[in-house]
Amino acid sequence: MSNESTELSTDSKRRPHDQAPSELYAEFMKTGWLPTDREDLSPIEVVTYAYSRRQILSSAFKGIRLVIHAGGFKVRAHDTDYNYRPDSAFVYYSGVQGSDATADAVLVLEPNGDSHLTYLYMNPRSTRDTESFYRDTKYGELWVGRRFTLKEAKDTYQIDTRHLDELDLLLSDNTKTLTLEDQELAVFASEQRLCKDEYELRELQEAVDATALGFCDVISAIPAAIETPRGERVLDAAFYGRARILGNDLGYNTIVGSGSHACVLHWIRNDGDVRRGELVLVDAGVEMDSFYTADITRTLPVDGKFSPSQRALYMLVYEAQLAGFEAIKPGALFSDINKAAHTVLAKGLADMGVLSVSAEESLKPEVGLHRRWTLHGVSHHLGLDVHDCGKARKEMYSGAQLREGMVLTVEPGLYIQPDDELFAPEYRGIGIRIEDDVVVTADGYRNLSENIPRHPDEIEKWMKRILGN
Ligand code: GLY
Ligand code: MN
Ligand code: MN
């Protein structure tokens, strides 16, 4: 759709009328509408959590105005935008969700004595006495749907709302102000999200459960993927359907790597064929309306049965993941997870005779030869962003101790490039990753994705159950 008017346009149906509306029409459009303000809205579940999060933020920045932008639309081409998604820090502190997400809104914590007052500045529903509701292709209700009135947003989020037009006036005085462009605030906002509250844990579990169904859809689509050129796209599309039905979107671009494409870590082109006898690696996550995402990888035999060489490599990754899980408990180091998993992988590679040094030697940071096949770290924080808390300082992230409520991935992998002559031919072109999402508990961890089959025997049974062969 376009808001451009050209005399030659043959698509006038989906553009505003070329000429400015006649006075008669403008008047006509103002009248004859039933009242449609919503009185039925009540506070959503996240409200009390968002309030507590703001209290913590407020006490860390006494006397300072904090300005947190939701962000605006991103242009895809000319007058066409990408689907809108608000900034994660804005979501965290405001509680704004899903299709109600208000583009361009700004959350302001205004200093008030020892604490702050919170305001949500937003672009509310255009009233019927304006032209905007029928002529504005970006925000107009007749073009893109209804937005909240200021009152409706207040009823929902329990935050005082103001019109966005009033923001400049507020910002024009000389109160000390920080936005997320300021490192100090960005780092704090990232580190505050390291430990999840109960609401976040519930949403992450929902995201994992929706993702589990998405993986069932992927398996159901394997026969069609084998039959269809660029079959990886068939699997990609199967998962995407589930993400849009149960959630807001994908949490990140799905990786579908069939055969040796699995050895390309960020294979998101997904334009390869899916062939019998090969493995297909699928790394995918549903993002819920709350914007929390899962991040799961399963590596599946296209035929429903692992070959001996596929199974041998798979079991090594499987054992490495178990060792990674076992390293998780409060007080352990984040880096212990990586160390535990990589120790298993390095030993396995040494036993296979492909390492030119001992596993012990390889595991020294200054040596690291096994990394030719392991390629990446095995853990990251997960939450509103797939790589959550990305601005946290090193000592709070990779150098930190684990704490109850942290949500992490455990995702070891082995990738044997198709031209790697250090491995026997039957192993070349095999890429395997197993990725689960876990929460650190008081005495260890809980695997949120425990119900998604992981052991090769369970995977074969799972595929048989779905495909019936
Ligand atoms: N899907 C991205 C990752 O696993 O980190
Ligand atoms: Mn991951
Ligand atoms: Mn992943």
Side-chain angles (χ1 to χ4, degrees):
M1 284 191 266
S2 163
N3 60 4
E4 259 195 353
S5 314
T6 63
E7 283 182 25
L8 295 176
S9 166
T10 52
D11 190 17
S12 58
K13 250 187 357 199
R14 289 194 289 167
R15 293 159 188 255
H17 293 293
D18 288 355
Q19 294 141 3
S22 67
E23 267 181 41
L24 217 53
Y25 177 70
E27 270 314 302
F28 186 53
M29 288 301 278
K30 284 183 189 169
T31 56
W33 307 104
L34 289 169
T36 50
D37 279 6
R38 295 185 60 182
E39 299 295 340
D40 59 323
L41 294 167
S42 48
I44 53 177
E45 189 195 353
V46 70
V47 157
T48 51
Y49 296 93
Y51 176 80
S52 307
R53 297 167 193 167
R54 292 195 298 272
Q55 294 295 104
I56 293 168
L57 183 65
S58 168
S59 52
F61 291 94
K62 287 194 173 111
I64 300 175
R65 174 186 291 144
L66 304 174
V67 177
I68 302 171
H69 291 264
F73 291 104
K74 230 184 175 67
V75 174
R76 184 172 194 274
H78 185 48
D79 62 353
T80 307
D81 298 318
Y82 287 100
N83 277 350
Y84 179 71
R85 184 193 189 274
D87 175 81
S88 296
F90 173 84
V91 170
Y92 184 71
Y93 292 116
S94 68
V96 164
Q97 308 206 331
S99 2
D100 293 331
T102 312
D104 303 316
V106 182
L107 188 75
V108 178
L109 273 70
E110 187 64 12
N112 179 44
D114 244 12
S115 65
H116 290 78
L117 297 173
T118 306
Y119 299 102
L120 181 61
Y121 284 80
M122 56 179 284
N123 189 2
R125 181 186 192 197
S126 42
T127 52
R128 295 300 198 235
D129 55 355
T130 64
E131 265 186 34
S132 163
F133 94 94
Y134 62 95
R135 278 188 63 79
D136 184 339
T137 57
K138 219 173 181 73
Y139 299 103
E141 195 162 320
L142 296 193
W143 288 85
V144 293
R146 195 183 189 295
R147 280 171 293 134
F148 277 157
T149 64
L150 293 178
K151 178 177 181 305
E152 289 164 355
K154 183 175 179 185
D155 290 347
T156 304
Y157 303 120
Q158 299 290 294
I159 300 174
D160 281 333
T161 46
R162 290 183 174 174
H163 198 291
L164 198 53
D165 289 349
E166 295 171 33
L167 182 62
D168 284 348
L169 184 66
L170 178 85
L171 300 183
S172 64
D173 69 17
N174 55 10
T175 303
K176 181 172 182 197
T177 300
L178 291 177
T179 73
L180 284 170
E181 309 261 288
D182 295 294
Q183 273 306 94
E184 195 186 350
L185 176 55
V187 167
F188 187 91
S190 225
E191 292 179 356
Q192 196 184 337
R193 282 161 46 197
L194 284 164
C195 291
K196 273 57 184 175
D197 58 38
E198 283 168 22
Y199 170 83
E200 293 183 288
L201 293 179
R202 280 199 294 277
E203 286 302 313
L204 282 161
Q205 184 68 65
E206 292 280 317
V208 167
D209 293 347
T211 297
L213 293 174
F215 272 86
C216 294
D217 297 339
V218 165
I219 292 174
S220 299
I222 286 179
I226 296 169
E227 298 301 321
T228 311
R230 306 203 303 174
E232 289 173 355
R233 291 283 171 95
V234 174
L235 305 186
D236 182 342
F239 190 85
Y240 182 63
R242 184 63 73 164
R244 289 292 284 170
I245 291 164
L246 292 183
N248 175 58
D249 206 336
L250 299 168
Y252 52 91
N253 290 327
T254 299
I255 295 167
V256 183
S258 190
S260 64
H261 290 162
C263 301
V264 182
L265 291 181
H266 291 168
W267 179 260
I268 55 171
R269 282 188 248 166
N270 302 345
D271 59 359
D273 294 337
V274 172
R275 295 186 195 87
R276 293 188 179 285
E278 293 185 333
L279 298 177
V280 60
L281 181 155
V282 181
D283 182 342
V286 174
E287 176 190 80
M288 303 309 285
D289 280 348
S290 56
F291 302 111
Y292 287 85
T293 187
D295 179 12
I296 302 288
T297 306
R298 288 294 180 265
T299 308
L300 309 165
V302 172
D303 283 334
K305 281 254 173 233
F306 289 89
S307 73
S309 49
Q310 290 166 349
R311 186 177 269 259
L313 276 184
Y314 191 102
M315 282 311 294
L316 186 47
V317 179
Y318 181 84
E319 296 294 342
Q321 197 197 27
L322 289 184
F325 288 147
E326 291 314 313
I328 299 175
K329 55 176 179 290
L333 294 175
F334 177 89
S335 55
D336 288 344
I337 309 170
N338 201 63
K339 205 189 235 169
H342 276 200
T343 299
V344 173
L345 292 176
K347 282 190 178 141
L349 289 163
D351 290 347
M352 292 179 92
V354 293
L355 270 182
S356 55
V357 296
S358 67
E360 201 181 36
E361 183 68 12
S362 188
L363 286 161
K364 292 181 181 161
E366 67 277 17
V367 182
L369 299 190
H370 59 284
R371 293 157 121 195
R372 172 177 172 127
W373 300 286
T374 61
L375 298 185
H376 57 81
V378 302
S379 200
H380 58 79
H381 281 266
L382 180 72
L384 284 166
D385 296 330
V386 62
H387 296 158
D388 211 35
C389 315
K391 296 222 164 95
R393 291 164 295 171
K394 189 163 183 254
E395 61 268 32
M396 296 297 288
Y397 198 121
S398 53
Q401 289 186 333
L402 300 179
R403 285 182 281 149
E404 192 176 350
M406 286 180 166
V407 174
L408 308 161
T409 65
V410 184
E411 50 175 308
L414 274 181
Y415 311 91
I416 320 300
Q417 303 301 322
D419 55 348
D420 191 333
E421 64 176 1
L422 299 188
F423 264 91
E426 64 269 28
Y427 292 107
R428 294 180 196 162
I430 295 180
I432 292 164
R433 180 163 64 255
I434 315 173
E435 178 173 25
D436 284 80
D437 303 337
V438 310
V439 54
V440 182
T441 57
D443 55 0
Y445 72 95
R446 180 160 54 84
N447 185 354
L448 302 175
S449 40
E450 184 59 36
N451 290 335
I452 308 178
R454 213 168 61 240
H455 187 280
D457 293 344
E458 292 170 17
I459 287 185
E460 288 178 355
K461 279 192 220 145
W462 183 32
M463 293 183 71
K464 192 165 180 192
R465 210 162 51 238
I466 294 175
L467 295 172
N469 52 18

XYZ file of all heavy atoms in Angstrom, residues 243-321:
612
model
N 4.798 -20.159 14.856
C 5.222 -18.954 15.577
C 4.187 -17.843 15.443
O 3.899 -17.121 16.405
C 6.579 -18.472 15.051
N 3.605 -17.721 14.273
C 2.626 -16.654 14.066
C 1.272 -16.992 14.685
O 0.533 -16.098 15.082
C 2.444 -16.389 12.557
C 3.631 -15.722 11.923
C 3.817 -14.297 12.423
N 2.860 -13.385 11.828
C 2.660 -12.134 12.221
N 3.336 -11.643 13.253
N 1.783 -11.372 11.619
N 0.970 -18.280 14.757
C -0.336 -18.665 15.309
C -0.318 -18.573 16.839
O -1.209 -18.001 17.452
C -0.725 -20.084 14.847
C -1.017 -20.068 13.340
C -1.958 -20.581 15.600
C -1.023 -21.445 12.701
N 0.727 -19.104 17.444
C 0.765 -19.137 18.919
C 1.479 -17.942 19.531
O 1.294 -17.649 20.705
C 1.454 -20.415 19.400
C 0.714 -21.725 19.146
C 1.495 -22.876 19.753
C -0.690 -21.692 19.733
N 2.304 -17.285 18.746
C 3.100 -16.197 19.314
C 2.978 -14.925 18.510
O 2.083 -14.775 17.672
N 3.913 -14.042 18.772
C 3.959 -12.796 18.019
C 4.715 -12.998 16.720
O 4.329 -12.478 15.669
C 4.660 -11.724 18.878
C 4.854 -10.424 18.142
O 3.883 -9.825 17.686
N 6.104 -9.993 17.980
N 5.801 -13.786 16.791
C 6.687 -13.912 15.629
C 7.745 -14.965 15.966
O 7.699 -15.595 17.022
C 7.373 -12.558 15.377
C 7.782 -12.368 13.925
O 7.972 -13.373 13.218
O 7.923 -11.204 13.503
N 8.721 -15.084 15.079
C 9.925 -15.837 15.422
C 10.752 -14.976 16.368
O 10.741 -13.744 16.258
C 10.756 -16.099 14.166
C 10.097 -16.909 13.053
C 10.939 -16.828 11.783
C 9.947 -18.366 13.487
N 11.500 -15.629 17.260
C 12.407 -14.865 18.121
C 13.670 -14.457 17.386
O 14.406 -13.577 17.837
N 13.955 -15.103 16.266
C 15.123 -14.823 15.423
C 14.914 -15.632 14.152
O 14.026 -16.490 14.103
C 16.431 -15.242 16.127
C 16.401 -16.668 16.636
C 16.853 -17.726 15.838
C 15.863 -16.986 17.886
C 16.790 -19.036 16.290
C 15.793 -18.291 18.334
C 16.253 -19.314 17.538
O 16.177 -20.612 17.984
N 15.719 -15.341 13.130
C 15.555 -16.079 11.877
C 15.870 -17.555 12.092
O 16.927 -17.907 12.623
C 16.499 -15.537 10.800
C 16.079 -14.163 10.332
O 14.887 -13.847 10.283
N 17.041 -13.327 10.016
N 14.958 -18.404 11.655
C 15.146 -19.847 11.811
C 16.324 -20.329 10.970
O 16.503 -19.900 9.831
C 13.854 -20.573 11.365
O 12.780 -20.136 12.193
C 13.996 -22.083 11.469
N 17.106 -21.227 11.572
C 18.198 -21.883 10.837
C 17.718 -23.279 10.481
O 17.341 -24.049 11.374
C 19.461 -21.973 11.726
C 19.992 -20.564 12.045
C 20.534 -22.837 11.055
C 21.037 -20.543 13.153
N 17.682 -23.593 9.187
C 17.396 -24.963 8.756
C 18.568 -25.405 7.890
O 18.683 -24.982 6.732
C 16.080 -25.071 7.954
C 15.805 -26.540 7.603
C 14.902 -24.496 8.732
N 19.436 -26.211 8.458
C 20.624 -26.647 7.729
C 20.555 -28.130 7.445
O 20.707 -28.956 8.347
N 20.296 -28.473 6.188
C 20.262 -29.884 5.825
C 21.644 -30.288 5.326
O 22.327 -29.511 4.667
C 19.205 -30.097 4.742
O 19.007 -31.472 4.553
N 22.051 -31.536 5.648
C 23.376 -31.993 5.222
C 24.450 -31.042 5.722
O 24.405 -30.574 6.865
N 25.388 -30.706 4.848
C 26.544 -29.909 5.292
C 26.177 -28.447 5.566
O 26.994 -27.708 6.117
C 27.673 -29.991 4.266
O 27.246 -29.419 3.060
N 24.977 -28.008 5.216
C 24.563 -26.644 5.597
C 24.527 -26.491 7.116
O 24.620 -25.384 7.641
C 23.174 -26.304 5.021
C 23.183 -26.130 3.542
N 22.058 -26.173 2.770
C 24.205 -25.895 2.685
C 22.368 -25.989 1.500
N 23.668 -25.824 1.428
N 24.386 -27.615 7.802
C 24.390 -27.570 9.280
C 25.734 -27.091 9.810
O 25.834 -26.656 10.957
C 24.057 -28.947 9.844
N 26.774 -27.186 8.980
C 28.116 -26.753 9.417
C 28.318 -25.252 9.240
O 29.385 -24.724 9.554
C 29.183 -27.513 8.636
S 29.062 -29.294 8.833
N 27.324 -24.573 8.683
C 27.383 -23.110 8.565
C 26.542 -22.575 9.723
O 25.321 -22.749 9.751
C 26.796 -22.637 7.211
C 26.913 -21.120 7.079
C 27.488 -23.342 6.053
N 27.196 -21.930 10.682
C 26.517 -21.664 11.962
C 25.247 -20.835 11.816
O 24.248 -21.102 12.468
C 27.476 -20.996 12.942
C 28.603 -21.900 13.436
C 29.482 -21.162 14.418
C 28.048 -23.178 14.061
N 25.311 -19.815 10.995
C 24.112 -18.969 10.821
C 23.537 -19.168 9.424
O 23.401 -18.218 8.657
C 24.437 -17.499 11.100
C 24.719 -17.241 12.545
N 25.253 -16.082 13.025
C 24.515 -18.016 13.640
C 25.390 -16.156 14.338
N 24.954 -17.323 14.746
N 23.224 -20.393 9.108
C 22.632 -20.717 7.797
C 21.153 -20.318 7.842
O 20.301 -21.094 8.297
C 22.790 -22.213 7.487
C 22.183 -22.603 6.180
C 20.977 -23.198 5.981
C 22.747 -22.401 4.880
N 20.745 -23.372 4.648
C 21.805 -22.893 3.941
C 23.933 -21.845 4.398
C 22.033 -22.851 2.560
C 24.160 -21.811 3.035
C 23.219 -22.315 2.129
N 20.852 -19.099 7.422
C 19.440 -18.667 7.440
C 18.894 -18.500 6.030
O 17.741 -18.130 5.854
C 19.244 -17.356 8.246
C 20.138 -16.247 7.723
C 19.472 -17.594 9.730
C 19.831 -14.884 8.323
N 19.742 -18.805 5.028
C 19.218 -18.762 3.652
C 18.168 -19.848 3.477
O 17.197 -19.676 2.777
C 20.356 -19.031 2.670
C 21.240 -17.843 2.435
C 22.205 -18.176 1.313
N 23.560 -18.276 1.814
C 24.560 -18.816 1.126
N 24.360 -19.328 -0.065
N 25.771 -18.849 1.644
N 18.437 -20.987 4.057
C 17.471 -22.096 4.045
C 16.949 -22.414 2.641
O 15.758 -22.648 2.462
C 16.292 -21.785 4.985
C 16.747 -21.522 6.415
O 17.880 -21.825 6.777
N 15.875 -20.962 7.226
N 17.861 -22.403 1.684
C 17.408 -22.655 0.308
C 17.984 -23.954 -0.260
O 18.079 -24.120 -1.471
C 17.745 -21.463 -0.595
C 19.240 -21.166 -0.632
O 20.010 -21.873 0.052
O 19.642 -20.231 -1.349
N 18.368 -24.863 0.643
C 18.913 -26.133 0.168
C 17.855 -27.227 0.114
O 16.764 -27.100 0.679
N 18.204 -28.287 -0.602
C 17.314 -29.454 -0.650
C 17.438 -30.252 0.648
O 18.439 -30.163 1.351
C 17.708 -30.360 -1.823
C 17.459 -29.676 -3.166
O 16.614 -28.740 -3.203
O 18.116 -30.038 -4.148
N 16.419 -31.038 0.923
C 16.446 -31.937 2.090
C 16.510 -33.366 1.550
O 15.598 -33.800 0.852
C 15.198 -31.720 2.976
C 15.115 -32.765 4.074
C 15.219 -30.315 3.576
N 17.631 -34.023 1.852
C 17.860 -35.332 1.216
C 17.817 -36.472 2.222
O 18.301 -36.341 3.345
C 19.241 -35.351 0.554
C 19.356 -34.390 -0.589
C 20.699 -34.560 -1.315
N 20.927 -33.408 -2.153
C 21.508 -32.291 -1.737
N 21.948 -32.177 -0.498
N 21.646 -31.263 -2.559
N 17.261 -37.575 1.756
C 17.254 -38.810 2.553
C 18.679 -39.176 2.951
O 19.613 -38.939 2.190
C 16.689 -39.963 1.734
C 15.230 -39.816 1.415
C 14.700 -41.090 0.760
N 13.284 -40.909 0.488
C 12.348 -40.949 1.431
N 12.669 -41.186 2.680
N 11.082 -40.751 1.125
N 18.828 -39.744 4.114
C 20.145 -40.202 4.556
C 20.940 -39.130 5.277
O 21.941 -39.416 5.914
N 20.500 -37.866 5.150
C 21.243 -36.784 5.802
C 20.559 -36.376 7.107
O 19.419 -36.775 7.385
C 21.338 -35.575 4.870
C 22.190 -35.863 3.647
C 22.402 -34.646 2.751
O 21.542 -33.739 2.742
O 23.421 -34.616 2.062
N 21.265 -35.557 7.864
C 20.656 -34.938 9.047
C 20.177 -33.543 8.663
O 20.713 -32.924 7.759
C 21.684 -34.797 10.166
C 22.297 -36.081 10.723
C 23.352 -35.742 11.773
C 21.207 -36.954 11.341
N 19.179 -33.062 9.382
C 18.793 -31.662 9.209
C 18.794 -31.000 10.587
O 18.191 -31.504 11.536
C 17.444 -31.504 8.454
C 16.288 -32.180 9.162
C 17.123 -30.031 8.213
N 19.524 -29.896 10.666
C 19.637 -29.142 11.928
C 18.635 -27.982 11.881
O 18.630 -27.198 10.928
C 21.071 -28.625 12.078
C 21.431 -27.831 13.343
C 22.948 -27.934 13.609
C 21.047 -26.359 13.249
N 17.790 -27.922 12.889
C 16.792 -26.845 12.942
C 16.972 -26.079 14.258
O 16.868 -26.658 15.345
C 15.354 -27.410 12.855
C 14.330 -26.272 12.890
C 15.173 -28.237 11.586
N 17.267 -24.791 14.144
C 17.455 -23.920 15.314
C 16.369 -22.859 15.230
O 16.384 -22.029 14.309
C 18.854 -23.296 15.254
C 19.172 -22.414 16.454
O 18.244 -21.996 17.170
O 20.366 -22.115 16.653
N 15.391 -22.913 16.152
C 14.210 -22.069 15.987
C 13.594 -21.731 17.348
O 13.739 -22.482 18.310
C 13.175 -22.800 15.122
N 12.885 -20.607 17.410
C 12.221 -20.228 18.653
C 10.993 -19.374 18.391
O 11.025 -18.480 17.545
N 9.928 -19.683 19.121
C 8.713 -18.856 19.048
C 8.858 -17.711 20.045
O 9.231 -17.929 21.201
C 7.454 -19.681 19.413
C 6.218 -18.776 19.481
C 7.243 -20.810 18.417
N 8.551 -16.501 19.579
C 8.470 -15.337 20.472
C 6.992 -15.106 20.798
O 6.177 -14.950 19.900
C 9.042 -14.105 19.762
C 8.908 -12.834 20.562
C 9.258 -11.598 19.738
O 8.399 -11.137 18.945
O 10.374 -11.101 19.874
N 6.687 -15.104 22.088
C 5.288 -14.933 22.499
C 4.850 -13.466 22.348
O 5.663 -12.583 22.091
C 5.095 -15.391 23.944
C 5.508 -16.835 24.199
S 4.760 -17.997 23.022
C 3.075 -18.051 23.639
N 3.568 -13.201 22.601
C 3.080 -11.812 22.534
C 3.765 -10.925 23.577
O 3.811 -9.709 23.425
C 1.563 -11.765 22.751
C 0.816 -12.120 21.478
O 1.462 -12.179 20.405
O -0.407 -12.342 21.541
N 4.266 -11.565 24.632
C 4.997 -10.814 25.662
C 6.411 -10.484 25.212
O 7.151 -9.819 25.933
C 5.076 -11.666 26.926
O 5.671 -12.919 26.610
N 6.809 -11.008 24.039
C 8.128 -10.805 23.418
C 9.233 -11.665 24.029
O 10.403 -11.450 23.737
C 8.538 -9.318 23.404
C 7.560 -8.448 22.679
C 6.773 -7.522 23.362
C 7.390 -8.557 21.306
C 5.854 -6.730 22.701
C 6.479 -7.762 20.630
C 5.704 -6.849 21.329
N 8.893 -12.633 24.874
C 9.899 -13.588 25.361
C 10.028 -14.708 24.334
O 9.025 -15.165 23.774
C 9.518 -14.158 26.740
C 9.713 -13.117 27.802
C 8.713 -12.181 28.082
C 10.928 -13.003 28.470
C 8.910 -11.175 29.010
C 11.140 -11.993 29.405
C 10.130 -11.085 29.668
O 10.337 -10.082 30.573
N 11.262 -15.141 24.108
C 11.490 -16.146 23.071
C 12.190 -17.385 23.613
O 12.946 -17.311 24.591
C 12.328 -15.568 21.913
O 12.395 -16.532 20.846
C 13.757 -15.239 22.340
N 11.923 -18.507 22.954
C 12.698 -19.725 23.184
C 13.853 -19.747 22.177
O 13.883 -18.956 21.234
C 11.803 -20.947 22.986
N 14.788 -20.663 22.379
C 15.920 -20.828 21.458
C 16.334 -22.297 21.530
O 17.078 -22.696 22.415
C 17.067 -19.894 21.892
C 18.288 -20.014 20.995
O 18.179 -20.626 19.919
O 19.350 -19.484 21.380
N 15.798 -23.082 20.606
C 15.953 -24.543 20.672
C 16.580 -25.059 19.380
O 16.200 -24.608 18.294
C 14.556 -25.220 20.829
C 13.832 -24.715 22.092
C 14.682 -26.750 20.820
C 14.398 -25.207 23.405
N 17.489 -26.014 19.510
C 18.005 -26.690 18.314
C 17.829 -28.204 18.457
O 18.136 -28.773 19.513
C 19.505 -26.404 18.097
O 19.714 -24.996 18.076
C 19.989 -26.999 16.779
N 17.328 -28.810 17.402
C 17.314 -30.261 17.311
C 17.918 -30.649 15.963
O 17.721 -29.945 14.963
C 15.889 -30.820 17.411
C 15.313 -30.727 18.817
C 16.057 -31.629 19.799
N 15.512 -31.558 21.158
C 15.982 -30.763 22.128
N 16.989 -29.925 21.887
N 15.450 -30.780 23.332
N 18.660 -31.758 15.971
C 19.251 -32.271 14.732
C 18.590 -33.609 14.449
O 18.681 -34.537 15.268
C 20.781 -32.397 14.892
O 21.302 -31.145 15.365
C 21.427 -32.738 13.560
N 17.893 -33.677 13.332
C 16.999 -34.809 13.053
C 17.479 -35.597 11.840
O 17.903 -34.990 10.838
C 15.585 -34.276 12.755
C 14.983 -33.305 13.774
C 13.759 -32.592 13.173
C 14.592 -34.065 15.042
N 17.366 -36.934 11.904
C 17.687 -37.718 10.697
C 16.501 -37.629 9.724
O 15.362 -37.921 10.105
C 17.859 -39.135 11.241
C 17.090 -39.166 12.520
C 16.972 -37.769 13.045
N 16.780 -37.227 8.497
C 15.687 -37.014 7.525
C 14.867 -38.296 7.358
O 13.645 -38.255 7.215
C 16.278 -36.529 6.172
C 15.203 -36.484 5.086
C 16.929 -35.153 6.351
N 15.554 -39.453 7.407
C 14.858 -40.741 7.256
C 14.180 -41.223 8.529
O 13.556 -42.284 8.537
C 15.878 -41.831 6.876
C 16.254 -41.717 5.418
O 15.438 -41.201 4.636
O 17.377 -42.135 5.089
N 14.396 -40.522 9.624
C 13.823 -40.985 10.896
C 14.743 -41.926 11.657
O 14.417 -42.371 12.758
N 15.896 -42.271 11.080
C 16.863 -43.193 11.738
C 18.261 -42.631 11.556
O 18.642 -42.242 10.450
C 16.830 -44.568 11.046
C 15.678 -45.441 11.454
C 16.192 -46.557 12.383
C 15.025 -47.351 12.956
N 15.042 -47.460 14.387
N 19.028 -42.617 12.644
C 20.422 -42.173 12.558
C 21.286 -43.285 11.965
O 21.107 -44.463 12.328
C 20.969 -41.853 13.956
C 20.396 -40.603 14.575
C 19.233 -40.640 15.338
C 21.037 -39.377 14.409
C 18.705 -39.500 15.922
C 20.521 -38.223 14.995
C 19.358 -38.274 15.749
N 22.228 -42.924 11.098
C 23.234 -43.904 10.638
C 24.257 -44.067 11.769
O 24.323 -43.224 12.673
C 23.928 -43.392 9.373
O 24.813 -42.333 9.721
N 25.084 -45.124 11.728
C 26.069 -45.316 12.812
C 27.002 -44.103 12.983
O 27.276 -43.680 14.106
C 26.834 -46.568 12.377
C 25.855 -47.317 11.515
C 25.043 -46.277 10.803
N 27.491 -43.521 11.897
C 28.424 -42.389 12.060
C 27.681 -41.153 12.588
O 28.204 -40.413 13.436
C 29.155 -42.073 10.756
O 28.254 -41.989 9.691
N 26.461 -40.947 12.114
C 25.666 -39.816 12.636
C 25.415 -40.001 14.130
O 25.549 -39.074 14.921
C 24.313 -39.728 11.899
C 24.436 -39.275 10.457
C 23.161 -39.517 9.656
O 22.245 -40.209 10.118
N 23.092 -38.954 8.467
N 25.071 -41.230 14.501
C 24.752 -41.491 15.906
C 25.997 -41.327 16.785
O 25.932 -40.785 17.882
C 24.160 -42.900 16.051
C 23.676 -43.211 17.447
C 23.045 -44.596 17.486
N 21.622 -44.563 17.218
C 20.672 -44.638 18.156
N 20.997 -44.707 19.429
N 19.403 -44.623 17.836
N 27.142 -41.767 16.280
C 28.380 -41.667 17.076
C 28.688 -40.191 17.376
O 28.971 -39.824 18.531
C 29.541 -42.311 16.322
N 28.615 -39.354 16.364
C 28.895 -37.928 16.599
C 27.809 -37.309 17.477
O 28.083 -36.487 18.359
C 28.961 -37.163 15.273
C 30.293 -37.191 14.520
C 30.212 -36.317 13.289
C 31.446 -36.727 15.413
N 26.565 -37.702 17.204
C 25.447 -37.154 17.981
C 25.637 -37.448 19.469
O 25.439 -36.583 20.327
C 24.117 -37.726 17.476
C 22.914 -37.014 18.047
C 22.202 -36.076 17.302
C 22.496 -37.247 19.364
C 21.111 -35.402 17.838
C 21.415 -36.579 19.915
C 20.719 -35.665 19.142
O 19.658 -34.986 19.687
N 26.026 -38.698 19.769
C 26.161 -39.090 21.182
C 27.257 -38.298 21.892
O 27.153 -38.002 23.079
C 26.422 -40.599 21.305
C 25.183 -41.451 21.143
S 23.768 -40.917 22.158
C 24.371 -41.219 23.825
N 28.278 -37.934 21.130
C 29.340 -37.119 21.727
C 28.787 -35.737 22.117
O 29.042 -35.236 23.218
C 30.495 -37.007 20.709
C 31.768 -36.324 21.160
C 32.234 -36.816 22.519
C 32.871 -36.550 20.108
N 27.996 -35.161 21.230
C 27.395 -33.854 21.542
C 26.397 -33.995 22.695
O 26.319 -33.150 23.595
C 26.700 -33.257 20.285
C 26.058 -31.907 20.606
C 27.697 -33.101 19.146
N 25.667 -35.097 22.671
C 24.678 -35.366 23.727
C 25.356 -35.443 25.102
O 24.905 -34.838 26.076
C 23.959 -36.686 23.397
C 22.897 -37.086 24.377
C 21.605 -36.585 24.275
C 23.187 -37.969 25.415
C 20.623 -36.957 25.186
C 22.214 -38.348 26.321
C 20.931 -37.839 26.196
O 19.966 -38.197 27.100
N 26.468 -36.187 25.151
C 27.200 -36.313 26.433
C 27.766 -34.963 26.852
O 27.798 -34.635 28.043
C 28.344 -37.345 26.304
C 27.892 -38.771 26.017
C 27.098 -39.395 27.163
O 27.185 -38.882 28.290
O 26.363 -40.377 26.920
N 28.202 -34.200 25.892
C 28.757 -32.866 26.204
C 27.658 -31.982 26.788
O 27.875 -31.214 27.739
C 29.327 -32.227 24.935
N 26.457 -32.106 26.235
C 25.360 -31.287 26.758
C 25.016 -31.697 28.193
O 24.795 -30.851 29.056
C 24.131 -31.383 25.848
C 23.148 -30.254 26.114
C 21.768 -30.500 25.553
O 21.348 -31.646 25.387
N 21.054 -29.413 25.253
